[in-house]
Amino acid sequence: MASSRGSTITATETVEREFTDGATAIVRGALAAGCDFFAGYPITPASSILMMMLQNLPARGGIGIQGEDEIASIGMCIGAAMTGSRVMTATSGPGISLYSENIGVAIMGEVPLVIVDVQRLGPSTGAATTTAQGDVQFVRWGTGGGYPVIALAPSTVTECYTLTMRAFDLAERFRCPVFVLVDKELALTMRTVDSGGFVDASVRDRPLVDLSDTAPPEEYRYEPAADVVPMQVYGGDHPVRFTGSTHDEQAFITKNPAVVGALNEHLIRKITDHVEEIAMVKTDMEECATTLLVSYGVTAGSMRDAVATARVAGTPVSALTVQSLWPVPDAAIRDAAAGIERVVVAELNPGLYAREIERVLPDVEVLGIARTDGRLIAPSELVALIK
Amino acid sequence: MTTPISIEPHPTLRNEKDYPFCPGCGHGSVLDSLNEAMVRLELEPHEVVIVSDIGCSGLSDQYFRTSAFHGLHGRSITYASGIKLARPDLTVIVIMGDGGTGIGGAHLLAAARRNIGITVLVLNNFNFGMTGGQHSTTTPEGFVTPTTPGGNLEHPLDIVATVGVNGAAYAHRGTNFDDDIADRMAEGISTDGFALLDVWDLCTAYFVPNNKFSRRKIDSTMKDLGLDSGVLYRQERPEFATEYRRQAAAHTAGLRVDVVEPAVSPTLERRFHFVVAGSAGGRVRSAARLVATAAMQAGWWSAQRDDYPITVKTGPSLSEVIISPEEVNYSGVDRPDVLVIVSEDGLGKSAAFLEKMTGEDTVFVAAGLALPDTAARVVSVDLAGAGRPIPSASRALAMVAHAVDRTGAVPFDRFETVAGQGAFGEKNLDLVAAGVALNEA
Ligand SMILES: Cc1ncc(C[n+]2csc(CCOP(=O)(O)OP(=O)(O)O)c2C)c(N)n1
Ligand code: SF4
Ligand SMILES: [Mg+2]
């Protein structure tokens, strides 16, 4: 009954089990992906990722550093990425606010950068140890200009591992910030986990321009717009220029409309022309179902239990877990909604992703369960809504 | 984007572009001095990364053939630090304005304290040139800018002393008119550690006309402010990126992963909730962890969700353990099957649970706590009656052991096995025995 789409990774059976949490899985995923530079600033509920990275990178020849603030942390990551390092940082909503301007730098300068957001209840300082999914729009629109980024949302501990690896791969592929969106509950609640679920995803080597010989290296270019060209990093035999300002292909500042237009179209289309490649969803479809449950992250766990309960009771229902929140996997959502009369979107925020579902499915009734009191959505609450 | 490497030392690291600065602006001459310093050090373009800030000074990287990074206002030091940390062999030079020392002041302090091996040139013209001459951290008191029409009321920042007293290996103050400025730049660049040069110059578009400022007045202002010029700090401290690597070589660390090979599962009919409510610092979480791990050993699935105050030693502490015949998808606990209330703090956190619990559920409560009305079966446990005092940090484990023994929430032998493991094993087992023996009121 369960099927997968895109690059979903399926677990294999094994008898070995572990008692662990999402934060540890993210760290293991990052290390398995070859992350060799991490900078972050302590914030609950993301601090354990910072501590584990700083304790584990030195022995592996990597660099882990606590920045003087979030701005410095992401800045150091961007600088290190420009030397060829595979970089990650982790924070929570308040820290994403401080990352904002540099997220734009990473977009503009096409820097591969993995950003983990362990969401907590907001707004403002909110509640540090209370779970929420309030940053799903924020990470997408969190820097000026409106240019696209990629965001993945694991919904289990083992997906924290596999999707972190996938995030590194996508960062290398598309040279942009890739968010891993989790929350306090998924990151810090310890769970029994099947060891076989920690399946390595392949992470490509960074496509690099050869700067080691005297031959003129390949030029940086914006066209064709949807192409992503290999990176040039510091430390080779040729100088490399980088700028966060609008620039020509030699990274000199320009306002020439033709050049700037090509640059910005490239920044958009290198993502939007590849939505299918990025798309990751898990579907659990039942043939005669008229209700489709949609969720992501920790709330998808409640959805899985609700589906099981409804089916035992003989109520048909289908479910869609969105793993790649951004760019929105429109086609996969439309496929899952074929023949569906009613969609229920469950999330721990004021209804932030439901609006994307409404946009993709204008002719279907979309009902949102939006919780903002810090409690999880119970499976029973979802079961009550399945018709 | 590229320059073929040449064998000869570069006669210049400037490119063919003319500076964009206003006539008389001091920035161009500072950059000429930097070029002179780099040529003297025989640096190759690909060995140098010029990290520019924002402002007129921030345009600087575009006039060199070196590698370059142009990022955000005030953040140049952060990118430079990342580059240096990852590639200590590169020569990393920051060019920033006085503006950057305000918005990015935290980075200036941190870089000096770390003594990271970058060189920072502050092109200090006492105002924000690019945005129209507004006052900056270094505008002297009484000076006029568009944002201080009545004269500046803020004390000017002593950049050199700030980094100097905070650990910089090298700090120099001078002006772009000094004969030795290129020598000092070469000295700073060659320093193995954080080097900063505060180079005073003229913004002819704003600060000069607004204050009848001049080359002569630069010198008199320095004197009036009681500031010295020259190399004012030089100190031997380990360079951060090198020291980090030295320390790392001796470092071993592993991720803690608890791997369990579960036994053949005894049948567990349904999901079971075991909640421990006590005080922060009362080892509530570690006691609950034993229940969760024992469940795993029995072949079941578990989850443990902790709620604790940010101040770890006061206030309540709550651990909710879910024991399940299958993987736990939903980690919420609405109604505990077993609730262990160890202390007054724990009682305060239990109201919602007690309301939902039914006659099928059991509350184990430390004797003496005033439990509100509840439909649950109540077992009052007399912690004082153990024949010996049980310290507050041990009560959670004793009561949990008692509850496990009486309810069979997890097989008691499994619980004992996990309790007996590790450095505290013996002490734990002693407490488990004491807990089992506790009297019920
Ligand atoms: C976050 C942010 N705030 C404000 C600005 C606008 N801004 C551009 S340059 C500048 C000040 C530059 O002054 P300074 O660093 O002294 O350089 P100068 O132009 O004097 O060389 C400011 C505030 C900006 N670019 N970014
Ligand atoms: S505005 Fe001032 S700092 Fe900028 S170029 Fe003109 S004189 Fe120089
Ligand atoms: Mg200035």
Side-chain angles (χ1 to χ4, degrees):
Chain A
M1 204 184 289
S3 77
S4 63
R5 188 193 168 89
S7 342
T8 307
I9 301 135
T10 46
T12 53
E13 276 305 320
T14 168
V15 285
E16 215 175 65
R17 290 181 193 160
E18 298 169 23
F19 196 53
T20 188
D21 62 15
T24 309
I26 286 169
V27 169
R28 289 162 70 181
L31 296 174
C35 174
D36 57 3
F37 190 99
F38 181 97
Y41 186 79
I43 183 169
T44 306
S47 301
S48 64
I49 296 175
L50 163 74
M51 294 186 282
M52 283 187 272
M53 289 304 287
L54 264 61
Q55 285 155 16
N56 284 276
L57 278 172
R60 294 161 178 262
I63 304 277
I65 184 162
Q66 177 175 320
E68 54 272 24
D69 56 27
E70 282 86 350
I71 299 176
S73 301
I74 187 172
M76 288 193 271
C77 283
I78 291 171
M82 282 304 297
T83 70
S85 297
R86 217 165 243 187
V87 305
M88 182 169 92
T89 183
T91 188
S92 190
I96 300 286
S97 304
L98 294 180
Y99 285 179
S100 168
E101 203 183 2
N102 266 316
I103 291 167
V105 171
I107 292 172
M108 182 59 112
E110 304 200 56
V111 180
L113 168 63
V114 174
I115 302 173
V116 179
D117 178 2
V118 187
Q119 297 164 97
R120 60 190 233 181
L121 191 63
S124 180
T125 300
T129 57
T130 303
T131 209
Q133 297 179 298
D135 297 345
V136 290
Q137 294 283 350
F138 184 33
V139 297
R140 169 61 184 85
W141 306 103
T143 192
Y147 292 85
V149 294
I150 296 172
L152 307 181
S155 69
T156 65
V157 168
T158 48
E159 280 178 21
C160 286
Y161 180 86
T162 54
L163 293 200
T164 298
M165 292 193 80
R166 176 75 178 145
F168 276 96
D169 188 53
L170 290 170
E172 300 298 355
R173 164 78 177 90
F174 292 103
R175 294 184 56 179
C176 69
V178 179
F179 290 88
V180 177
L181 264 178
V182 288
D183 65 286
K184 183 261 174 184
E185 187 71 26
L186 189 53
L188 300 186
T189 293
M190 302 284 296
R191 291 166 204 262
T192 309
V193 174
D194 192 333
S195 299
F198 294 100
V199 179
D200 284 343
S202 70
V203 178
R204 77 197 68 207
D205 288 335
R206 178 163 307 174
L208 284 179
V209 173
D210 181 4
L211 295 172
S212 65
D213 56 33
T214 49
E218 197 182 326
E219 287 263 317
Y220 180 68
R221 60 188 157 77
Y222 305 146
E223 280 163 331
D227 273 18
V228 186
V229 300
M231 226 175 130
Q232 304 189 7
V233 297
Y234 302 138
D237 291 338
H238 296 269
V240 170
R241 295 187 42 80
F242 174 101
T243 179
S245 300
T246 53
H247 52 277
D248 62 21
E249 288 164 344
Q250 281 71 45
F252 286 100
I253 297 174
T254 182
K255 293 201 283 187
N256 178 327
V259 177
V260 173
L263 162 64
N264 285 348
E265 189 189 342
H266 163 63
L267 295 179
I268 295 167
R269 286 197 39 207
K270 72 171 182 178
I271 308 283
T272 56
D273 279 24
H274 301 283
V275 176
E276 291 295 296
E277 183 185 338
I278 300 164
M280 289 180 84
V281 302
K282 286 194 296 190
T283 54
D284 183 359
M285 311 304 288
E286 199 165 20
E287 229 161 74
C288 43
T290 55
T291 299
L292 172 71
L293 301 182
V294 177
S295 198
Y296 54 87
V298 72
T299 312
S302 305
M303 181 172 79
R304 285 193 295 278
D305 275 2
V307 167
T309 306
R311 285 181 185 162
V312 166
T315 318
V317 63
S318 289
L320 170 74
T321 304
V322 184
Q323 294 170 301
S324 60
L325 292 174
W326 300 101
V328 179
D330 287 23
I333 293 168
R334 270 195 297 271
D335 285 356
I340 291 291
E341 290 165 12
R342 200 154 157 276
V343 176
V344 177
V345 186
E347 51 191 335
L348 303 176
N349 58 44
L352 299 176
Y353 208 70
R355 65 171 61 203
E356 300 305 321
I357 306 296
E358 279 166 356
R359 177 184 61 74
V360 177
L361 306 173
D363 304 323
V364 182
E365 183 194 350
V366 176
L367 187 75
I369 306 198
R371 165 153 288 166
T372 56
D373 63 1
R375 285 179 303 154
L376 296 171
I377 294 170
S380 56
E381 296 174 83
L382 291 171
V383 171
L385 292 169
I386 302 168
K387 281 187 192 158
Chain B
M1 167 130 351
T2 59
T3 318
I5 52 165
S6 67
I7 315 300
E8 298 297 312
H10 287 269
T12 177
L13 278 95
R14 285 267 289 114
N15 58 22
E16 69 294 345
K17 288 181 203 275
D18 293 328
Y19 295 133
F21 308 119
C22 303
C25 172
H27 288 357
S29 87
V30 183
L31 298 187
D32 284 343
S33 300
L34 171 62
N35 183 45
E36 210 182 307
M38 291 193 296
V39 169
R40 202 170 305 163
L41 295 171
E42 296 185 12
L43 292 167
E44 295 283 340
H46 65 279
E47 296 168 347
V48 179
V49 186
I50 292 183
V51 183
S52 62
D53 213 87
I54 293 283
C56 298
S57 45
L59 301 170
S60 303
D61 67 273
Q62 300 185 94
Y63 304 92
F64 290 92
R65 300 157 64 196
T66 63
S67 284
F69 189 109
H70 177 63
L72 295 177
H73 184 33
R75 315 304 170 195
S76 46
I77 287 174
T78 71
Y79 311 119
S81 299
I83 293 164
K84 189 70 185 181
L85 275 168
R87 285 294 300 262
D89 55 316
L90 292 171
T91 298
V92 183
I93 300 169
V94 169
I95 301 177
M96 67 195 293
D98 43 310
T101 68
I103 189 169
H107 313 312
L108 201 66
L109 289 177
R113 290 175 43 246
R114 289 187 188 115
N115 197 31
I116 184 139
I118 62 174
T119 302
V120 175
L121 303 185
V122 183
L123 278 52
N124 182 359
N125 57 11
F126 320 103
N127 74 170
F128 293 2
M130 181 170 266
T131 47
Q134 298 88 349
H135 71 290
S136 75
T137 55
T138 60
T139 310
E141 273 170 85
F143 280 64
V144 173
T145 73
T147 46
T148 53
N152 182 32
L153 298 172
E154 300 171 3
H155 186 79
L157 178 71
D158 182 341
I159 300 170
V160 169
T162 301
V163 298
V165 300
N166 284 298
Y170 180 97
H172 171 85
R173 180 183 294 115
T175 80
N176 69 315
F177 302 108
D178 298 345
D179 292 337
D180 70 340
I181 196 71
D183 297 334
R184 298 292 82 81
M185 286 181 188
E187 218 164 68
I189 294 168
S190 310
T191 299
D192 186 25
F194 182 80
L196 179 139
L197 293 98
D198 178 13
V199 187
W200 293 20
D201 70 353
L202 296 176
C203 171
T204 48
Y206 300 107
F207 203 75
V208 165
N210 286 339
N211 297 284
K212 298 199 176 64
F213 209 60
S214 62
R215 174 179 178 170
R216 213 166 40 76
K217 272 184 91 173
I218 285 193
D219 294 333
S220 63
T221 303
M222 207 183 280
K223 205 169 281 158
D224 292 347
L225 292 173
L227 297 174
D228 292 328
S229 63
V231 181
L232 301 176
Y233 293 87
R234 232 186 216 289
Q235 40 207 348
E236 289 280 325
R237 279 184 62 217
E239 193 277 327
F240 188 91
T242 311
E243 190 62 10
Y244 183 92
R245 283 168 169 78
R246 194 192 60 72
Q247 210 187 58
H251 207 100
T252 50
L255 278 171
R256 176 177 170 170
V257 177
D258 291 350
V259 179
V260 173
E261 289 206 27
V264 181
S265 321
T267 330
L268 183 68
E269 306 254 299
R270 61 172 184 89
R271 182 172 155 131
F272 194 91
H273 297 156
F274 190 107
V275 176
V276 191
S279 297
R283 301 207 199 118
V284 167
R285 285 188 271 172
S286 53
R289 174 94 175 232
L290 297 178
V291 177
T293 319
M296 276 181 74
Q297 294 240 341
W300 304 329
W301 301 72
S302 54
Q304 181 179 344
R305 166 179 215 248
D306 300 318
D307 190 7
Y308 50 90
I310 294 290
T311 52
V312 277
K313 297 266 161 141
T314 57
S317 182
L318 186 74
S319 277
E320 303 167 13
V321 176
I322 300 161
I323 302 158
S324 168
E326 64 223 347
E327 188 162 1
V328 178
N329 287 317
Y330 167 62
S331 50
V333 171
D334 303 313
R335 182 191 133 197
D337 296 87
V338 173
L339 171 61
V340 179
I341 304 175
V342 185
S343 67
E344 194 71 48
D345 286 327
L347 182 61
K349 273 271 173 183
S350 299
F353 290 138
L354 290 167
E355 234 169 68
K356 293 204 182 87
M357 290 170 81
T358 71
E360 291 167 32
D361 313 318
T362 315
V363 187
F364 291 85
V365 62
L369 295 177
L371 204 64
D373 279 347
T374 174
R377 215 164 64 81
V378 177
V379 179
S380 175
V381 181
D382 184 13
L383 282 162
R388 56 160 180 166
I390 299 182
S392 55
S394 302
R395 286 179 193 161
L397 177 54
M399 284 192 66
V400 164
H402 190 89
V404 167
D405 179 60
R406 298 302 196 271
T407 60
V410 290
F412 190 79
D413 56 334
R414 300 273 177 201
F415 180 76
E416 257 190 325
T417 308
V418 295
Q421 285 163 354
F424 300 105
E426 228 165 283
K427 233 181 127 200
N428 280 352
L429 286 180
D430 184 43
L431 270 171
V432 168
V436 171
L438 287 173
N439 293 323
E440 294 175 6

